[in-house]
Amino acid sequence: MKSYKGRGIVLHTLKYGDSSMVVFLLTDVGGRRSYMVQGVRSSRGRGSKLALFQPMFALEFEGLESSRQQMDRFREVHSGIVLRTLPFDVRKSTVALFMAEVLYRLVKESEPNEPLFEFVWNGVAALDELQEGVANFHLWFLARLSRFLGFFPGNDYREGDCFDIREGLYTKTARRNVLIMSEQNARTLHELMHLEVNRLGTLALNRTQRVEFLNAMLDYYGYHLDAISAVQSVRILREVF
């Protein structure tokens, strides 16, 4: 079997048999790919590999292409980013769960997408390092991800604008029977599209404003991508933040 080296972000896992699992990754070498991992729950040898395959964990690996099966395998796999806080901070791990589910539901392409992959890879590192503004990170992620999915705002924001979800444009006029983000949410969208991730602590949003903006972004995503409605971790986000 042909081997190749790559990097990947864990999006989802499925139990397979008694000791194996299928791991879905967003990879730099081939977009979304699935891998069969055998003996993952075995206590023999080097022990369980489960710790590697948590939502949004970054991996470096050597893969083996399979000509007979749709799923590749790993010859070697190890951590690609040393995570110091994400696995131990319930707020960050909740955000990671949401990010992983969004990407799993929305990204289906099995072709390399370097800009998207680098955004996600760097996002994991940024979330792990973030000290202030964790409560805003999932909102920043959704706003910035829209750019890579092809439906980010198509014009410049001006103070007092609303945002027309269907047209993808900031607008002064809130027409009837049109999906519109409020002035507050349009301003937040603009700020998140331009705010560096390490300055998320400067974005002053209370709990109600975060929930309202999240709902507005889910409407925005839902207009373009129906699959966002299947994301179940939204409920946990609303409880934590």
Side-chain angles (χ1 to χ4, degrees), residues 2-235:
K2 182 181 178 181
S3 67
Y4 58 93
K5 292 186 177 181
R7 294 179 294 156
I9 301 290
V10 179
L11 304 183
H12 187 61
T13 60
L14 289 174
K15 183 179 178 181
Y16 187 86
D18 293 331
S19 62
S20 301
M21 67 164 51
V22 178
V23 178
F24 295 87
L25 300 182
L26 178 67
T27 72
D28 60 343
V29 291
R32 174 170 152 169
R33 287 197 175 192
S34 56
Y35 294 81
M36 175 64 71
V37 185
Q38 295 179 312
V40 72
R41 292 176 174 82
S42 173
S43 59
R44 297 180 179 179
R46 297 182 180 179
S48 174
K49 302 174 186 176
L50 277 172
L52 281 175
F53 301 113
Q54 303 303 311
M56 296 308 290
F57 275 32
L59 306 176
E60 293 181 349
F61 62 89
E62 183 176 358
L64 294 171
E65 289 185 352
S66 176
S67 58
R68 297 181 180 180
Q69 301 177 356
Q70 292 183 342
M71 290 178 287
D72 291 355
R73 297 176 184 269
F74 294 119
R75 171 176 285 174
E76 181 181 347
V77 59
H78 58 270
S79 178
I81 298 175
V82 178
L83 299 174
R84 304 183 187 280
T85 65
L86 193 155
F88 314 107
D89 184 324
V90 66
R91 300 174 306 156
K92 292 184 178 183
S93 58
T94 299
V95 171
L97 179 64
F98 173 72
M99 293 167 65
E101 190 177 2
V102 166
L103 292 167
Y104 175 70
R105 299 291 183 188
L106 301 188
V107 179
K108 304 292 186 180
E109 293 77 14
S110 57
E111 298 178 355
N113 185 333
E114 183 178 356
L116 171 62
F117 179 81
E118 293 299 332
F119 165 71
V120 176
W121 182 274
N122 292 333
V124 172
L127 178 59
D128 186 65
E129 295 172 2
L130 198 62
Q131 297 182 4
E132 297 181 355
V134 173
N136 295 327
F137 190 93
H138 61 292
L139 307 179
W140 176 88
F141 172 75
L142 281 179
R144 292 298 187 93
L145 180 63
S146 68
R147 184 179 299 277
F148 300 95
L149 299 180
F151 52 89
F152 58 96
N155 64 339
D156 294 331
Y157 170 83
R158 294 173 297 177
E159 189 64 34
D161 278 354
C162 300
F163 183 73
D164 187 324
I165 286 175
R166 292 177 180 174
E167 297 296 328
L169 299 172
Y170 295 110
T171 178
K172 289 292 185 187
T173 306
R175 293 177 294 164
R176 298 179 65 181
N177 302 320
V178 173
L179 286 171
I180 288 288
M181 283 192 194
S182 67
E183 290 184 21
Q184 171 65 50
N185 288 330
R187 184 186 307 112
T188 301
L189 176 60
H190 166 70
E191 291 173 341
L192 288 170
M193 293 297 291
H194 295 86
L195 190 65
E196 294 298 326
V197 66
N198 59 3
R199 300 190 67 247
L200 280 174
T202 67
L203 185 63
L205 297 176
N206 59 38
R207 186 186 186 95
T208 299
Q209 290 170 330
R210 278 193 294 271
V211 171
E212 288 179 353
F213 182 74
L214 174 61
N215 292 340
M217 287 301 293
L218 293 175
D219 287 341
Y220 184 30
Y221 269 71
Y223 179 75
H224 296 278
L225 300 166
D226 291 339
I228 195 70
S229 63
V231 176
Q232 301 297 312
S233 52
V234 171
R235 177 181 56 81

